[in-house]
Amino acid sequence: MGPGVFLSGAARQAEILRKDGNHYFQKGRIGAAIEAYTEAITLCPNVPVYLTNRALCHRKRNDWKKVEEDCRRAIQLDNNSVKAHYMVGLALIQNKDYPEGIKHLEKALDLGRGANQKSYMVEEIWQELANAKYREWEQASTKRSWELQTLKEACEAALEQKYFLDQSEPEGFVDQAEIAHREQLNSLRSVFENYAVADAPSEVPDHLCCKITLDILRDPVITPSGVTYERAVILDHFRKVGNFDPITRELLDESQLVPNLAIKEAVQAFLDKHGWAYNTN
């Protein structure tokens, strides 16, 4: 709020209460902070920051139901609130509503990057989003494994039943039936084993990883020499080490970095297919 902006008595009092709430929050007095923000909301119910501040207090107490309630109200007032989308996403993830939670976290990430690419919140949101997508994959993978095992057992039982019926045939036919039965069982098990391997975690291809950290790329940039790095990592290299390419040793600065959109799309395609790669641990 800039100088010269007229505030009503209620708005001025609400701002004082917000500052009081911030002070209490910093001191760890969460109950007092909630009371201050609640009074501010009562005076000015259409100010989303009062709601997200109170939601932050509820988050400290792991009261995710109230976090979601406050953040949904804040989003109704301002659909571009990074903190509201972020915290409602966290609340939904806590309730294992991964699709809806991920949607809000992705919205928060897009809004955060648009406001300030280097903000600490962008990194924090990305970490939570990656964790949520990994947990979503893990949940789906566990379900697929159970379904696969159930289907495998049903197919094996069907083959055993067929083999049992074939044993009533003449002697020569029974020998052929036994050979066919073993081949069918081996083929069946091979199919299920191959499917299980395809769904299991492995290694991320080198060309999708940062050349410095070896982690999967998120915001890849390419240098004039053709080397791709994670943007935040190469910028950190410039600050701490110097303005040169750590691989080629050629002089390099931020203005020469170009987003590598092709690799970014390839990374996203890989993550969509292999959710285990979201595991940041």
Side-chain angles (χ1 to χ4, degrees):
M1 240 168 285
V5 176
F6 175 77
L7 292 177
S8 67
R12 282 198 300 271
Q13 183 60 31
E15 273 298 290
I16 292 170
L17 287 163
R18 179 186 66 81
K19 291 175 182 176
D20 288 345
N22 292 353
H23 175 73
Y24 293 139
F25 183 85
Q26 289 167 0
K27 295 293 184 181
R29 296 177 59 190
I30 304 303
I34 289 174
E35 289 180 11
Y37 294 137
T38 300
E39 288 185 48
I41 292 165
T42 302
L43 290 170
C44 295
N46 295 325
V47 180
V49 71
Y50 300 160
L51 289 159
T52 53
N53 281 6
R54 188 170 70 176
L56 192 57
C57 295
H58 294 317
R59 181 187 173 190
K60 282 283 186 182
R61 290 181 163 183
N62 290 319
D63 192 340
W64 294 105
K65 182 180 179 182
K66 289 183 179 178
V67 170
E68 183 178 352
E69 288 173 355
D70 276 350
C71 288
R72 287 197 182 278
R73 284 180 61 189
I75 289 169
Q76 288 178 343
L77 296 169
D78 178 12
N79 192 41
N80 292 323
S81 170
V82 177
K83 288 184 179 179
H85 282 290
Y86 176 44
M87 285 191 285
V88 80
L90 292 180
L92 290 165
I93 295 299
Q94 285 293 320
N95 290 328
K96 294 184 168 52
D97 186 351
Y98 294 113
E100 190 66 19
I102 285 170
K103 189 187 301 181
H104 280 283
L105 291 178
E106 287 176 334
K107 174 79 171 176
L109 186 62
D110 288 341
L111 290 169
R113 283 175 171 166
N116 183 0
Q117 179 74 34
K118 299 176 183 177
S119 166
Y120 77 92
M121 267 202 77
V122 170
E123 175 63 21
E124 183 179 323
I125 294 167
W126 193 93
Q127 291 292 340
E128 291 291 353
L129 177 60
N131 185 48
K133 288 201 171 190
Y134 176 75
R135 286 162 66 184
E136 181 184 43
W137 169 84
E138 194 173 40
Q139 184 183 64
S141 180
T142 300
K143 183 182 178 184
R144 282 194 300 271
S145 295
W146 180 83
E147 291 172 342
L148 199 66
Q149 182 61 28
T150 302
L151 180 59
K152 177 173 174 284
E153 289 172 0
C155 290
E156 287 176 340
L159 286 177
E160 292 291 348
Q161 179 66 21
K162 180 178 180 299
Y163 176 60
F164 174 77
L165 294 174
D166 287 343
Q167 285 183 318
S168 62
E169 298 293 333
E171 187 173 335
F173 183 84
V174 170
D175 293 339
Q176 293 176 2
E178 184 174 354
I179 294 170
H181 175 65
R182 288 176 181 171
E183 289 177 349
Q184 288 170 341
L185 276 178
N186 289 335
S187 297
L188 177 71
R189 287 165 183 164
S190 177
V191 168
F192 281 97
E193 284 171 8
N194 289 338
Y195 186 90
V197 168
D199 196 41
S202 57
E203 291 186 4
V204 178
D206 289 343
H207 71 283
L208 301 182
C209 298
C210 175
K211 294 297 183 288
I212 297 175
T213 63
L214 304 182
D215 292 330
I216 193 166
L217 291 157
R218 290 146 42 187
D219 185 15
V221 290
I222 190 168
T223 68
S225 57
V227 183
T228 297
Y229 298 103
E230 179 64 33
R231 182 190 295 275
V233 174
I234 189 66
L235 293 180
D236 190 54
H237 168 81
F238 291 160
R239 285 192 299 272
K240 295 180 178 178
V241 184
N243 284 59
F244 62 90
D245 188 315
I247 301 294
T248 66
R249 317 301 288 183
E250 296 175 3
L251 291 176
L252 182 66
D253 61 50
E254 185 175 354
S255 65
Q256 295 174 282
L257 302 176
V258 177
N260 193 331
L261 299 180
I263 287 294
K264 190 170 186 177
E265 288 181 7
V267 167
Q268 192 56 55
F270 184 84
L271 288 170
D272 288 343
K273 188 175 180 182
H274 305 287
W276 51 262
Y278 276 110
N279 188 356
T280 56
N281 296 321

